[in-house]
Amino acid sequence: QVQLVESGGGLVQAGGSLRLSCTASGRRFDDSAMAWFRQAPGKEREFVAGASWSGAITAYADSAKGRFTISRDNTKNTLFLQMHDLTAEDTAVYYCAASKYRNYVAQKSPDYDDWGRGTQVTVSS
């Protein structure tokens, strides 16, 4: 099991940027592919971006392509999500998750074993 703690959320104006971080402890961080999901009020949790254990393989939701970048620093057990050109539609709680896979970036919640508590991102229009 791995413990995940997100940080970096906050209130930002439309068009602005934020960088989310997720720090992991417990089992080896590089044993898992990692991902960011988000959940807006009244909506289901959705995949945003994911990275394989090395970061060499990445995947993005269509809504994130071209605006968000996922990366990881395995020496610091940290996952990042750099977000640019934010809109009100990006407002959600963002969750970090550790996959049951190592070199495959799954996009469904059941493929992730461990979750953080989330960090709120609010974009004002």
Side-chain angles (χ1 to χ4, degrees), residues 1 8 10 12 19 26 33 35 37 44 54 62-63 69 79 88 100 103:
Q1 189 175 9
V12 63
R19 189 193 196 203
F37 286 75
E44 293 187 354
S54 66
D62 287 344
S63 60
T69 302
L79 179 74
K100 62 182 65 175
N103 209 37

Side-chain angles (χ1 to χ4, degrees), residues 12-60:
V12 63
Q13 289 187 334
S17 299
L18 278 176
R19 189 193 196 203
L20 305 184
S21 299
C22 171
T23 301
S25 60
R27 74 164 188 260
R28 282 184 54 166
F29 182 65
D30 61 2
D31 275 350
S32 298
M34 300 290 296
W36 290 96
F37 286 75
R38 69 185 183 187
Q39 187 166 18
K43 295 187 177 181
E44 293 187 354
R45 189 173 299 188
E46 64 176 1
F47 173 84
V48 176
S52 62
W53 73 274
S54 66
I57 302 170
T58 59
Y60 294 90

Side-chain angles (χ1 to χ4, degrees), residues 3 6 16 26 39 49 52 56 58 63 67 80 87 90 100 119 121:
Q3 291 74 46
E6 303 93 337
Q39 187 166 18
S52 62
T58 59
S63 60
R67 300 188 301 129
F80 302 99
T87 72
D90 296 314
K100 62 182 65 175
T119 185
V121 171

